[in-house]
């Protein structure tokens, strides 16, 4: 009996093996067969802003809605934590990996490991400076364009002349690099009477935005006409600093920021923020659409843009109830 069982087992596995070899693509692979759950690893970069929270919630909610088995990791703004998370997704054999790279550089080694493991990789929100064959697609915003829009809005607010200070996002992140590039390029090309007198990072957080704005005010307080903040959270921190310094944010110092989170609309309604350029964090639905397409073997575009607008004080009250983040 025992021998018979063993023999049939050996036979069965030999058959499976031969099917595996000759059948090539026809061999039923886990993810294609039946209604096996899609398993996705997502290496989020942190929880530094309102924008980030909205992005994380969007991914988690959409995964739950679609019945995706989501392995989620929060790297607390540290690249080494993201790399660890990616390696653990490889070890777990997930179907797709999504990453929001905290900075642009330093990804090649780990992305090659992902490729060697045969796992498709999607860049979500921020870009990475790697050869294109190391990822399936980038889903997110055009940061350079956001910087250009911000420059035009700021120039309008100060009639094309005056001194500006800039609060940059995380150093080396594609969001900060792109916004600064677009902003600078536009100011240099179109607004010769605008000067950027100070520019420093506030790491995309309220606390740092406030701290750095305090330093700007201390050295140049009477000399600043406008502020460009790479995100709303830093602008909101800076608003506090300006008030504590004894000036009126939105009036004495005009402010343009990026994201269009609810806090920005509240600040605009209070007259303390002038303009916010939208950067859409609700990437969950588009992200899982792409994951499903990739697993189904469909071609996906290399860049998938998210739709965005610009919001000003005059329509803030009317828009606030429609905002989802
Ligand atoms: O603007 C900022 C966040 O990468 C687009 O990161 C994102 C940026 C967003 O911390 O608020």
């Amino acid at each position: 009996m025992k021998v018979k069982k063993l023999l049939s087992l050996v036979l069965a596995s030999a058959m499976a093996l031969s099917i595996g070899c000759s059948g090539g693509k026809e061999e039923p692979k886990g993810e294609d067969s039946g209604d096996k759950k899609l398993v996705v690893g997502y290496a989020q970069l942190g929880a530094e802003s309102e924008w980030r929270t909205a992005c994380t919630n969007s991914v988690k909610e959409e995964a739950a809605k679609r019945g995706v088995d989501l392995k989620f990791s929060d790297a607390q703004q540290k690249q080494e934590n993201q790399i660890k998370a990616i390696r653990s997704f490889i070890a777990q054999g997930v179907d797709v990996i999504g990453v929001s790279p905290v900075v642009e550089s330093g990804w090649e080694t780990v992305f090659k490991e992902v490729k060697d493991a045969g796992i498709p990789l999607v860049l979500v929100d921020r870009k990475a400076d790697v050869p294109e064959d190391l990822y399936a697609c980038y889903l997110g915003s055009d940061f350079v364009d956001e910087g250009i829009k911000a420059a035009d809005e700021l120039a309008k607010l100060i009639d094309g002349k005056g001194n500006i200070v800039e609060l940059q996002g995380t150093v080396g992140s594609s969001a900060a690099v792109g916004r600064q590039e677009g902003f600078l390029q536009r100011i240099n090309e179109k607004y010769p009477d605008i000067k950027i007198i100070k520019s420093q990072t506030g790491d995309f957080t309220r606390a740092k935005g406030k701290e750095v704005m305090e330093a700007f005010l201390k050295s140049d307080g009477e000399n600043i006409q406008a502020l460009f903040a790479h995100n709303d959270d830093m602008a909101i921190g800076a608003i506090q600093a300006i008030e504590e310094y004894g000036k009126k944010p939105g009036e004495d110092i005009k402010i343009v920021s990026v994201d269009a989170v609810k806090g920005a609309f509240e600040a605009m309604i209070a007259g303390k923020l002038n303009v916010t350029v939208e950067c859409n964090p609700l990437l969950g639905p588009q992200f899982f659409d792409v994951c499903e397409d990739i697993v189904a073997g469909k071609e996906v575009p290399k860049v998938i843009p998210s739709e965005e607008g610009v919001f000003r004080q005059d329509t803030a009250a009317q828009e606030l109830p429609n905002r989802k983040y």
Side-chain angles (χ1 to χ4, degrees):
M1 269 306 246
K2 263 191 178 166
V3 177
K4 242 185 168 181
K5 234 184 185 175
L6 200 86
L7 247 170
S8 60
L9 238 166
V10 170
L11 240 162
S13 42
M15 266 174 73
L17 248 174
S18 72
I19 289 168
C21 294
S22 60
K25 283 211 165 110
E26 257 101 280
E27 184 197 0
K29 279 206 237 120
E31 64 263 24
D32 304 331
S33 60
D35 37 20
K36 190 180 168 275
K37 265 192 176 183
L38 181 70
V39 185
V40 176
Y42 176 42
Q44 177 59 287
L45 67 88
E48 74 287 358
S49 63
E50 261 192 73
W51 191 100
R52 189 66 48 200
T53 307
C55 175
T56 291
N57 290 343
S58 169
V59 169
K60 286 186 176 170
E61 278 163 23
E62 194 62 25
K65 216 195 255 172
R66 297 186 189 210
V68 171
D69 180 359
L70 176 69
K71 319 252 177 239
F72 180 87
S73 150
D74 170 350
Q76 298 173 335
Q77 297 242 66
K78 292 204 177 78
Q79 183 173 34
E80 75 236 43
N81 292 344
Q82 286 196 290
I83 292 174
K84 268 188 213 148
I86 294 168
R87 290 196 169 128
S88 108
F89 297 150
I90 298 175
Q92 292 173 73
V94 301
D95 298 317
V96 184
I97 292 177
V99 191
S100 299
V102 61
V103 290
E104 288 180 301
S105 59
W107 295 103
E108 227 170 296
T109 307
V110 72
F111 284 8
K112 273 190 187 140
E113 292 169 27
V114 174
K115 194 179 180 196
D116 290 346
I119 302 172
L121 185 127
V122 179
L123 297 176
V124 186
D125 154 40
R126 291 190 192 167
K127 295 173 188 160
D129 193 7
V130 293
E132 280 201 356
D133 66 310
L134 290 184
Y135 61 93
C137 78
Y138 164 68
L139 157 66
S141 308
D142 182 337
F143 300 125
V144 174
D145 188 53
E146 290 169 352
I148 292 172
K149 285 178 186 159
D152 285 340
E153 293 295 329
L154 251 185
K156 224 184 291 167
L157 286 163
I158 59 172
D159 293 325
K161 56 178 177 300
N163 295 329
I164 290 184
V165 293
E166 179 184 27
L167 284 170
Q168 298 172 31
T170 301
V171 174
S173 68
S174 65
V177 171
R179 285 170 191 167
Q180 184 172 44
E181 186 190 319
F183 188 77
L184 262 180
Q185 176 196 312
R186 194 64 157 194
I187 296 285
N188 288 341
E189 272 168 22
K190 273 189 81 178
Y191 309 108
D193 298 327
I194 293 181
K195 246 172 89 187
I196 302 166
I197 56 166
K198 284 268 147 80
S199 180
Q200 210 178 301
T201 182
D203 212 13
F204 281 132
T205 68
R206 276 184 201 205
K208 260 298 198 74
K210 177 165 188 259
E211 196 184 302
V212 177
M213 190 67 202
E214 279 166 1
F216 287 167
L217 289 163
K218 207 167 167 198
S219 60
D220 295 87
E222 301 311 308
N223 216 8
I224 301 170
Q225 278 71 53
L227 161 69
F228 169 41
H230 286 194
N231 80 344
D232 293 336
D233 282 73
M234 292 190 295
I236 290 165
I239 284 171
Q240 275 182 37
I242 295 168
E243 283 177 328
E244 285 170 19
Y245 180 79
K247 286 206 182 253
K248 283 194 172 152
E251 286 181 34
D252 300 331
I253 298 179
K254 310 285 189 206
I255 308 175
V256 174
S257 54
V258 188
D259 277 356
V261 296
K262 277 197 178 134
F265 283 81
E266 284 154 8
M268 285 197 290
I269 291 167
K272 297 176 181 181
L273 175 72
N274 300 86
V275 176
T276 183
V277 174
E278 187 178 30
C279 180
N280 185 6
L282 306 179
L283 301 173
Q286 280 174 293
F287 173 51
F288 290 110
D289 278 351
V290 166
C291 292
E292 286 170 5
D293 283 353
I294 292 170
V295 168
K298 290 188 194 155
E299 281 259 335
V300 297
K302 208 72 198 178
V303 176
I304 303 177
S306 41
E307 284 194 358
E308 328 194 299
V310 174
F311 299 96
R312 305 180 181 91
Q313 266 182 15
D314 53 348
T315 56
Q318 180 191 319
E319 281 292 335
L320 181 58
N322 307 327
R323 302 301 296 165
K324 294 204 175 61
Y325 60 93

